[in-house]
């Protein structure tokens, strides 16, 4: 589905990610783990087109999208749940969803909106509320719902559990498990490693912008010594 | 040297003092002011009124400076409350307020201003020397401020106010100081102008003069004293240099402003490093 | 009676300011640029509108051509000037914008002459509308009505259409809006086009009111426009509308009551300074 080949990117000439080789299989949930500043968010942002590539390629369904503008990437089926939710804070819940489905035809977006409301009934109750005034958990639901509105093939999630109560994390993970049944591919960046290992199929561990280990989550769990050295136990 | 040249040199010197004074607020302290002409006007009116009342110019000038500096202090207090774009607009409003009040004030001559301001008694060469002396003083102060620790504090406020505060730099103190010194020097420039022109009208001290000063600072290179001096010289002599353009001068002036912002936003001060980059090894 | 007259002219001017400066609000919301050259689009609209009206005898044709001219010029200013300096510190686009204003104003002087253009057959000149003891200048009604209608259309678009919602999302988070398929560049052109069109209409209305358009007519709104967007709270449309009304009414009463001591611009300045000292982040809700 998504492939990074010898990929480097960074800000203002300084590399945040160097020579990364990753493959994200269709239908799988792949976790990117690693300490702060390892380059996880930069990798996601590069896939969304917001970090300048400095070498290598990004392939999506076999097509080179390394230099495509962000607008195009949403149209080919990539959506993001950004770090810290980043809702359109002045807009209502429903308006956030409408923007999420902006690249779909109107009728399809309407249908998708009902899907999101049935996935998160809480959002349906709050549909006319200004999104900036939602609770943290509701905001994360809305951020996920907004991304799902675009009917993506690939969903990028940056810090699902950050700042959320454990119960809310459960709600979000359960929702993701449900949407995965339709074959959605997910890339998850997460600080909460044990949570991530429990749901991921495959794991890449990043440190200082490089991939230091990868494998199925079972393999990574078995290899605890190396893993702990890089990530630490949470 | 003819009287015409002397007069041109005086005017250029006055504009250097004025532009450098604005640079102390904008360049060294990062506080955008779009109403600087008001303080120039305060200096001009105080000096003109006192001279007309029989006070020698050399005594009137410092009084004009003092009053302009005090007015600057008041606006400085406003700058503690509002910032960035809001401050730019507040200073803009101060500029309009000044002109609006002077225009309607019968004591200050209203729309017709003050004419027949007596001569300083120093003669044309003496006046030019006085201006030159003020230019040297202002430029020296500006260089001194930007080099020594006060300048360091100014610039750290302009770069990042919160960080400066955590380092124990009292930003309020320095902002007030910057406005006070900058406006006092603008008042000095205004006083020199009143003495130079011997006839002042409120329209002179309006928005376009404030913008001209800001343009001198930015075209010269915001924060660089040498650049701002060059900017002031260039824009003051602009009508003389481009006399051949005749009726199209303002058109070219506008285009020049746009061109500099598009292609050389660091102003004239950015040119040496650009030349070095071209000349240097690749 | 006197105070009612002041209120009427204040509201009429407030509506006019709102329409004329909406473009500044839209541009500031999207790009954080103090687009002072917008005042020149107001003048351009007035010149083109009056010229075509005089030549063709049709006000509607004049208005349409004026709108087209202002829209094209507004989009050109974005494309040629602002697009390449968006990442510079704010004073760079501000001074570039001032340069454009100076350039265009002098251009108008050269093309149309120092005296400007007079409206030849002005249907509104000295026309009054009388109800009982009241007599209202018809142009005030047209100004207020035109402004309210165009504001209502804009508000409806922004709140109820998909594209309008996408526009507001772009104001809120431009990078992220792009990730949902919103073409940010198109949104910018739309903002420049809509704002310039409103400025052109306002320009024509003011020309009809004064029976005249001069190269410096735009100065009526140049700095007041900046004041309005700041008072309105950084690109907030409702805030800008309220700020315009407040400014119009404050000016009207200020001239009526204190016109002997200060002029119109100074009254607006006092209102502005007083408001900013009380609300340092403007009347509208400040964005984070």
């Amino acid at each position: 589905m998504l492939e990074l080949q010898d990929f480097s990117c960074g800000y203002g000439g300084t590399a945040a990610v160097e020579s990364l080789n990753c493959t994200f299989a269709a239908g799988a949930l792949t976790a990117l783990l690693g300490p702060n500043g390892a380059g996880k968010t930069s990798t996601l942002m590069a896939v969304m087109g917001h970090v300048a590539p400095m070498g290598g390629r990004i392939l999506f369904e076999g097509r080179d999208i390394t230099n495509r503008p962000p607008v195009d990437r949403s149209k080919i089926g990539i959506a993001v749940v950004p770090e810290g939710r980043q809702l359109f804070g002045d807009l209502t819940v429903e308006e956030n969803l409408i923007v999420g489905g902006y690249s779909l035809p109107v009728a399809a977006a309407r249908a998708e909106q009902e899907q999101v409301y049935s996935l998160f009934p809480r959002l349906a109750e709050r549909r006319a509320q200004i999104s900036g005034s939602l609770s943290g958990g509701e905001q994360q639901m809305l951020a996920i719902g907004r991304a799902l509105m675009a009917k993506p093939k690939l969903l990028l999630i940056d810090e699902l559990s950050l700042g959320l109560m454990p119960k809310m994390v459960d709600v979000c993970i359960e929702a993701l498990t449900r949407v995965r049944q339709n074959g959605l591919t997910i890339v998850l960046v997460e600080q909460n490693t044990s949570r991530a290992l429990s749901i991921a199929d495959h794991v890449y561990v990043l440190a200082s912008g490089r991939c230091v280990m990868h494998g199925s989550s079972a393999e990574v769990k078995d290899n605890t010594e190396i893993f702990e050295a890089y990530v630490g136990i949470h | 040297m003819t009287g015409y040249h002397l007069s041109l040199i005086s005017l250029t010197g006055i504009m250097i003092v004025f532009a450098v004074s604005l640079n102390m607020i904008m360049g060294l302290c990062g506080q955008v002011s779009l109403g600087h002409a008001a303080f120039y006007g305060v200096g001009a009116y105080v000096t003109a009124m006192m001279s007309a009342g029989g006070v020698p110019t050399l005594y009137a000038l410092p009084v004009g400076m003092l009053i302009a500096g005090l007015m600057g202090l008041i606006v400085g207090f406003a700058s503690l409350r509002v910032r960035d774009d809001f401050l730019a607009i507040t200073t803009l409003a101060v500029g309009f307020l000044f002109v609006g009040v002077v225009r309607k004030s019968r004591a200050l001559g209203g729309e017709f201003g003050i004419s027949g301001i007596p001569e300083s008694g120093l003669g044309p060469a003496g006046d030019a020397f006085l201006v030159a002396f003020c230019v040297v003083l202002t430029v020296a102060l500006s260089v001194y401020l930007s080099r020594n620790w006060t300048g360091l504090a100014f610039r750290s406020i302009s770069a990042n106010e919160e960080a400066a505060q955590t380092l124990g730099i009292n930003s309020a103190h320095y902002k007030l100081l910057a406005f006070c010194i900058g406006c006092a020097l603008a008042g000095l420039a205004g006083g020199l102008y009143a003495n130079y022109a011997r006839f002042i009208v409120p329209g002179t001290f309006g928005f376009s003069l404030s913008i001209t000063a800001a343009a001198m600072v930015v075209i010269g290179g915001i924060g660089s004293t040498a650049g701002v001096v060059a900017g002031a010289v260039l824009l003051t002599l602009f009508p003389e240099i481009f006399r051949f353009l005749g009726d199209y001068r303002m058109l070219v002036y506008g285009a020049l402003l746009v061109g500099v912002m598009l292609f050389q936003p660091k102003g004239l001060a950015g040119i040496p490093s650009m030349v070095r980059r071209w000349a240097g090894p690749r | 009676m006197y105070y009612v007259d002041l209120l009427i002219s204040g509201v009429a001017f407030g509506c006019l300011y709102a329409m004329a400066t909406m473009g500044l609000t839209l541009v500031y919301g999207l790009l954080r640029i103090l687009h002072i050259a917008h005042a020149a689009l107001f003048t351009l609209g007035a010149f083109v509108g009056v010229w075509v009206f005089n030549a063709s005898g049709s006000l509607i044709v004049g208005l349409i051509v004026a709108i087209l001219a202002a829209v094209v010029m507004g989009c050109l200013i974005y494309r040629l000037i602002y697009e390449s300096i968006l990442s510079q510190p704010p004073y760079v686009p501000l001074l570039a914008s001032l340069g454009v204003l100076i350039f265009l104003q002098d251009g108008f002087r050269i093309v149309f002459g120092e005296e400007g253009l007079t409206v030849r057959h002005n249907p509104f000149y000295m026309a009054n509308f009388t109800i009982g003891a009241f007599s209202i200048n018809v142009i005030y009604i047209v100004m207020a009505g035109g402004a309210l209608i165009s504001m209502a259309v804009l508000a409806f678009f922004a709140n109820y259409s998909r594209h309008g919602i996408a526009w507001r999302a772009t104001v809120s988070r431009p990078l992220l809006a792009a990730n949902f398929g919103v073409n940010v560049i198109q949104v910018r052109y739309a903002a420049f086009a809509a704002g310039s069109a409103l400025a052109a209409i306002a320009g024509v209305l003011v020309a009809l009111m004064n029976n005249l358009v001069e190269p410096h007519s735009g100065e009526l709104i140049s700095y007041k426009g900046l004041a309005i967007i700041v008072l309105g709270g950084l690109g907030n449309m409702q805030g800008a509308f309220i700020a315009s009304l407040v400014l119009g009414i404050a000016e009207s009463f200020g001239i009526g009551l204190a016109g002997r001591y200060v002029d119109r611009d100074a009254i607006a300045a006092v209102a502005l300074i007083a408001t900013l000292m009380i609300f340092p982040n403007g009347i509208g809700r400040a964005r984070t």
Side-chain angles (χ1 to χ4, degrees):
Chain A
M1 170 70 55
L2 179 72
E3 213 182 328
L4 302 180
Q5 293 180 340
D6 199 26
F7 182 73
S8 305
C9 65
Y11 308 88
T14 319
V17 171
E18 279 182 273
S19 311
L20 201 58
N21 283 294
C22 296
T23 309
F24 302 94
L29 193 162
T30 309
L32 289 181
L33 304 178
N36 273 332
K40 297 165 294 175
T41 296
S42 300
T43 308
L44 285 199
M45 286 300 107
V47 175
M48 290 316 303
H50 292 312
V51 180
M54 294 166 65
R57 299 200 297 169
I58 304 175
L59 299 181
F60 180 70
E61 294 185 311
R63 276 182 291 173
D64 188 342
I65 61 160
T66 318
N67 293 310
R68 298 280 287 278
V71 176
D72 288 3
R73 301 183 195 216
S74 69
K75 284 181 188 138
I76 58 175
I78 308 178
V80 66
V81 178
E83 185 177 4
R85 274 83 75 175
Q86 299 194 23
L87 298 175
F88 302 116
D90 306 329
L91 274 61
T92 65
V93 169
E94 183 144 321
E95 286 172 338
N96 266 275
L97 294 181
I98 289 171
V99 177
Y102 189 71
S103 52
L104 300 182
V106 178
R110 284 258 166 74
E112 203 54 36
Q113 197 173 307
E114 291 315 310
Q115 294 277 321
V116 169
Y117 281 147
S118 69
L119 189 65
F120 296 115
R122 195 66 162 272
L123 294 183
E125 294 164 21
R126 310 257 152 145
R127 60 172 75 193
Q129 192 171 327
I130 297 291
S131 63
S133 65
L134 296 174
S135 74
E138 290 164 344
Q139 290 199 2
Q140 189 64 285
M141 289 180 204
L142 181 54
I144 295 171
R146 182 180 62 180
L148 291 175
M149 280 297 294
K151 276 186 137 174
K153 298 172 195 161
L154 172 67
L155 181 62
L156 310 173
I157 305 176
D158 199 354
E159 303 292 5
L160 181 71
S161 68
L162 192 71
L164 292 193
M165 293 191 302
K167 205 178 140 220
M168 280 300 167
V169 181
D170 291 339
V171 172
C172 291
I173 286 181
E174 198 208 308
L176 288 178
T177 318
R178 274 170 65 191
V179 292
R180 278 190 67 195
Q181 287 162 3
N182 306 330
L184 181 66
T185 310
I186 299 178
V187 179
L188 174 68
V189 163
E190 191 49 78
Q191 291 277 342
N192 185 340
T193 18
S194 56
R195 243 335 188 331
L197 285 172
S198 70
I199 55 168
D201 301 312
H202 201 86
V203 174
Y204 283 89
V205 181
L206 269 57
S208 315
R210 292 167 184 280
C211 176
V212 289
M213 94 185 265
H214 70 98
S216 71
S217 46
E219 284 165 11
V220 170
K221 265 189 237 170
D222 291 342
N223 233 329
T224 42
E225 278 177 26
I226 305 177
F227 184 60
E228 280 174 23
Y230 283 112
V231 182
I233 283 294
H234 291 263
Chain B
M1 215 182 288
T2 65
Y4 169 73
H5 287 122
L6 272 182
S7 141
L8 211 54
I9 288 171
S10 293
L11 187 62
T12 309
I14 291 167
M15 290 322 277
I16 291 175
V17 174
F18 186 40
V20 170
S21 78
L22 179 58
N23 187 47
M24 287 181 188
I25 297 169
M26 275 178 78
L28 301 186
C29 200
Q31 311 293 309
V32 175
S33 170
L34 295 178
H36 208 50
F39 305 100
Y40 183 79
V42 168
Y45 268 93
V46 170
T47 309
M49 292 298 284
M50 288 181 70
S51 301
V55 180
T57 309
L58 287 179
Y59 294 111
L61 277 175
V63 179
M65 258 180 97
L66 188 73
I67 294 179
L70 285 176
M71 300 252 178
L73 197 63
I74 295 171
V75 176
F77 276 111
S79 83
L80 301 182
R81 188 147 171 79
V82 296
R83 50 183 64 182
D84 299 336
D85 293 341
F86 292 101
L87 180 62
I89 304 296
T90 306
T91 55
L92 183 79
V94 169
F96 277 94
L97 183 58
F98 172 78
V99 175
V101 169
V102 172
R103 196 165 262 166
K104 295 276 176 172
S105 159
R106 214 173 285 163
L108 296 176
E111 201 69 72
F112 304 106
I114 302 174
S115 54
I117 300 166
E119 283 183 49
S120 64
L122 301 171
D127 278 339
F129 184 77
L130 177 66
V131 170
F133 177 71
C134 292
V135 169
V136 171
L137 214 66
T138 307
V139 169
L141 180 63
S142 174
V143 171
Y144 171 77
L145 279 181
S146 63
R147 288 226 176 121
N148 97 342
W149 62 272
T150 311
L152 194 69
F154 277 171
R155 265 174 286 130
S156 62
I157 292 168
S158 110
N160 185 341
E161 193 172 336
E162 271 92 35
Q165 261 165 355
T166 11
L167 290 174
I169 294 167
N170 182 349
S171 70
H173 184 92
Y174 288 110
K175 272 202 221 172
L176 289 179
L177 197 60
F179 268 96
C180 200
I181 300 174
C183 293
L185 287 174
L188 173 65
L192 290 172
Y193 174 77
N195 180 49
Y196 157 84
R198 296 208 271 122
F199 168 56
I200 53 176
V201 285
T204 310
F205 309 104
F207 185 47
S208 56
L209 183 63
S210 292
I211 290 310
T212 307
M216 285 170 179
V217 170
V218 175
I219 286 179
I222 192 159
S224 148
T225 306
V228 172
V229 170
V233 172
L234 180 73
L235 287 199
T236 312
L237 298 183
F238 187 89
E240 306 302 323
I241 302 170
F242 292 92
R243 192 172 281 277
F244 65 92
L245 292 169
D247 207 23
Y248 298 95
R249 269 190 317 220
M250 285 311 281
L251 199 74
V252 175
Y253 177 60
L256 180 76
L257 197 54
V258 176
V260 172
M261 290 302 102
L262 282 185
F263 303 112
Q264 185 59 26
K266 286 204 176 75
L268 299 175
I271 291 176
S273 70
M274 205 174 67
V275 171
R276 240 173 282 140
R277 231 179 306 131
W278 277 342
R282 306 235 159 194
Chain C
M1 284 310 106
Y2 179 55
Y3 294 104
V4 178
D5 283 343
L6 289 181
L7 186 65
I8 289 169
S9 78
V11 170
F13 267 89
C15 288
L16 180 88
Y17 289 156
M19 176 162 53
T21 62
M22 194 49 72
L24 282 166
T25 304
L26 298 176
V27 170
Y28 193 84
L30 281 175
L31 303 177
R32 294 285 178 254
I33 289 178
L34 295 172
H35 172 39
I36 198 164
H38 187 70
L41 300 174
F42 169 93
T43 321
L44 176 71
F47 268 117
V48 173
V50 170
W51 191 81
V52 173
F53 178 33
N54 283 347
S56 70
S58 162
L59 183 58
I60 300 293
V61 174
L63 208 53
I64 290 171
V65 179
I67 289 172
L68 286 178
V71 166
V72 169
M73 183 61 84
C75 291
L76 276 178
I77 290 176
Y78 164 71
R79 178 68 191 82
L80 299 179
I81 314 288
Y82 296 146
E83 194 164 58
S84 58
I85 49 175
L86 287 175
S87 55
Q88 300 283 351
Y91 64 83
V92 172
L94 174 62
L95 282 172
S97 193
L98 272 166
V100 173
L101 179 63
I102 294 170
F103 180 85
L104 287 177
Q105 277 190 344
D106 210 46
F108 297 144
R109 183 184 60 82
I110 292 164
V111 175
F112 296 102
E114 194 87 60
E115 282 78 39
L117 290 178
T118 311
V119 185
R120 212 169 288 155
H121 302 288
N122 191 342
F124 301 112
Y125 195 56
M126 305 295 269
N128 283 310
F129 180 77
T130 316
I131 330 170
F134 284 113
S135 173
I136 305 173
N137 200 325
V138 175
I139 193 68
Y140 283 172
I141 300 173
V142 177
M143 261 160 48
L148 290 176
I149 291 168
S150 49
M151 296 293 120
V153 170
L154 197 64
F156 185 83
F157 171 76
N159 287 301
Y160 296 104
S161 89
R162 257 178 132 209
H163 299 296
I165 293 168
W167 177 340
R168 282 160 53 220
T170 312
V171 171
S172 168
R173 296 184 186 278
L175 288 181
L176 201 61
N179 278 142
F180 291 103
V182 181
N183 189 327
V184 176
I185 305 295
Q186 273 173 16
V187 170
R188 287 179 188 164
Y189 278 115
F192 273 92
S196 308
L198 289 176
I201 301 172
V204 172
L205 289 178
V206 169
L208 289 173
M209 177 179 71
N210 296 334
N211 208 36
L212 175 74
V213 46
E214 293 168 294
H216 293 271
S217 291
E219 280 170 8
L220 177 70
I221 63 151
S222 59
Y223 103 93
K224 261 173 239 168
L226 300 185
I228 285 165
I229 61 168
V230 165
L231 283 181
L234 305 180
N236 173 333
M237 286 192 244
Q238 288 101 322
F241 187 66
I242 295 169
S244 305
L245 279 181
V246 169
L247 195 64
I249 295 169
E251 275 185 7
S252 179
F253 276 88
I255 293 167
L257 303 174
R260 285 179 52 218
Y261 310 105
V262 279
D263 67 0
R264 187 179 192 101
D265 286 342
I267 288 162
V270 171
L272 180 65
I273 294 170
T275 316
L276 277 178
M277 289 302 117
I278 301 166
F279 307 101
N281 295 315
I283 300 172
R285 188 163 45 95
R287 242 173 259 281
T288 45

